Amino acid sequence: MVGGASPTQFVPIASLRAADSPRLGGEDFEHIQMLAGVESRLPPILVHRPTMRVIDGMHRLRAAQLRNDESIEVQFFDGPEQEAFVLGVKANITHGRPLSLLDRTTAAERIMVTYPGWSDRAIAAAAGLSARSVANVRRRLTDELDELEEQHARTGRDGRVRPVDSAVGRLRAAEFIAEHPDASLRLIARNAGLSVATARDVRQRLERGESPVQPGRDRRQPGPARDTGQVATSDVIGIEALMHGLKADPSLRLTDGGRRLLRWVLSKVLVPEEWREVSDGLPPHAAYVLSDVARRCAVEWQRVADDLEQRTRNMA
């Protein structure tokens, strides 16, 4: 029996959710077909009871679905969701279809961010890597986080250095803390695009019942309506922070599909006011065509947003 897990029981397949899997490449359909044809009883799958999400055994679950089974044998794990992921990684390096080196390296990154106090040897044992490999991962992540913490100002295309308004990042940090109250300061900072010191200040403000944004800094508060034609600084910073979070996500940065997605998004994203830098001298006839193109792109981006939001609701 797995530590923290219950005795086995049969549960309806329809009640289960897909795994938070360390397999970046997804499931292997040929392996699923092979399992579906096995006549002997397959081992029970491991499920996180609070979320009903599969921890280990997605190929067995898909095989049962392929056979049109209505139920499957399950062993429940009742611990925290962070521990469930580690348990899933451990399970997939000891039996079944092995994880690739990239799968294990990415899993080690995630474990390291979630449990920064774990030793290299402890993470190596969980992810199926050598301690030296984990040390290299830690060194790289530390360099990236240190670089992020130093981003207190940005240099524009005109060469001028402007201070970064962290109001949007502070609000994102507050949302992340609400969803992950036990998260480390480094993890909060990384997800919100802030320094560790700012993340600490946000957490302390929330603990005191105060706004996460310093007085006078929340530019998202409504004010007198003014049509100035200018975009709020927080909108620009918000997009940059969101894109930084995507580019820092190991599941995107370390996979071919993820890198293709990032290249595509970066080539399509338009930072507010950026277009003014290239629109000077645009002739009237070209402006008319460009305005039509912009409206069509806006409609298409709205469709993308609606589709992704619907997918998120379906997965919830």
Side-chain angles (χ1 to χ4, degrees):
M1 182 184 302
V2 178
S6 66
T8 64
Q9 63 186 85
F10 282 86
V11 302
I13 288 177
S15 67
L16 300 175
R17 299 173 64 195
D20 181 12
S21 175
R23 297 186 188 279
L24 302 177
E27 298 147 16
D28 184 340
F29 186 66
E30 290 185 2
H31 188 60
I32 292 171
Q33 288 181 309
M34 183 275 292
L35 292 175
V38 174
E39 296 183 359
S40 59
R41 181 177 175 180
L42 295 174
I45 66 174
L46 184 61
V47 173
H48 186 233
R49 194 196 304 268
T51 61
M52 294 300 287
R53 190 182 293 278
V54 176
I55 297 173
D56 176 46
M58 275 304 300
H59 287 98
R60 280 165 278 164
L61 175 62
R62 297 302 187 205
Q65 291 174 323
L66 193 61
R67 294 195 303 249
N68 294 318
D69 295 345
E70 294 184 356
S71 63
I72 190 170
E73 190 175 11
V74 163
Q75 188 176 18
F76 281 115
F77 173 72
D78 294 294
E81 204 164 355
Q82 296 93 328
E83 291 184 16
F85 177 77
V86 176
L87 196 59
V89 176
K90 287 182 176 180
N92 280 282
I93 63 175
T94 57
H95 68 265
R97 184 170 170 266
L99 296 175
S100 69
L101 176 59
L102 180 58
D103 292 337
R104 287 177 279 130
T105 301
T106 305
E109 285 191 348
R110 178 168 170 180
I111 294 170
M112 188 175 298
V113 171
T114 305
Y115 299 104
W118 281 21
S119 69
D120 292 346
R121 289 188 178 277
I123 296 174
L129 294 170
S130 68
R132 177 174 295 182
S133 296
V134 173
N136 291 335
V137 171
R138 188 186 298 277
R139 190 177 302 110
R140 176 168 48 78
L141 282 181
T142 299
D143 291 343
E144 291 177 0
L145 289 171
D146 289 343
E147 180 182 350
L148 176 61
E149 291 175 23
E150 293 171 359
Q151 291 179 349
H152 300 299
R154 292 192 176 94
T155 303
R157 294 187 179 183
D158 57 2
R160 296 174 60 188
V161 178
R162 299 175 175 86
V164 172
D165 183 347
S166 63
V168 173
R170 283 174 170 270
L171 293 172
R172 291 185 63 205
E175 294 173 359
F176 188 82
I177 291 172
E179 296 174 359
H180 310 277
D182 298 325
S184 68
L185 290 175
R186 280 189 177 274
L187 182 58
I188 297 168
R190 185 179 187 185
N191 279 270
L194 299 172
S195 69
V196 171
T198 304
R200 181 184 295 107
D201 182 67
V202 171
R203 171 173 276 171
Q204 291 172 346
R205 286 177 174 276
L206 293 176
E207 290 173 349
R208 295 194 299 264
E210 300 175 0
S211 168
V213 181
Q214 294 174 338
R217 295 295 300 278
D218 190 353
R219 302 184 182 183
R220 288 174 35 164
Q221 297 298 327
R226 292 187 303 158
D227 186 9
T228 63
Q230 299 295 316
V231 177
T233 303
S234 60
D235 291 337
V236 181
I237 296 171
I239 292 177
E240 291 183 351
L242 291 170
M243 291 308 302
H244 180 87
L246 280 178
K247 289 186 287 186
D249 187 336
S251 64
L252 296 177
R253 180 166 49 84
L254 299 178
T255 65
D256 290 339
R259 285 191 290 269
R260 283 197 301 272
L261 173 65
L262 288 175
R263 285 194 295 269
W264 181 84
V265 172
L266 290 171
S267 69
K268 302 289 191 296
V269 168
L270 181 67
V271 175
E273 295 299 289
E274 184 181 40
W275 66 275
R276 295 184 186 277
E277 299 179 13
V278 296
S279 63
D280 292 341
L282 191 67
H285 69 278
Y288 175 80
V289 174
L290 186 58
S291 67
D292 187 46
V293 170
R295 288 192 180 91
R296 291 170 186 251
C297 288
V299 170
E300 194 61 29
W301 270 113
Q302 185 61 54
R303 289 175 180 168
V304 172
D306 293 342
D307 180 68
L308 294 176
E309 288 178 356
Q310 184 61 46
R311 292 189 196 181
T312 302
R313 285 193 291 269
N314 291 341
M315 291 187 292

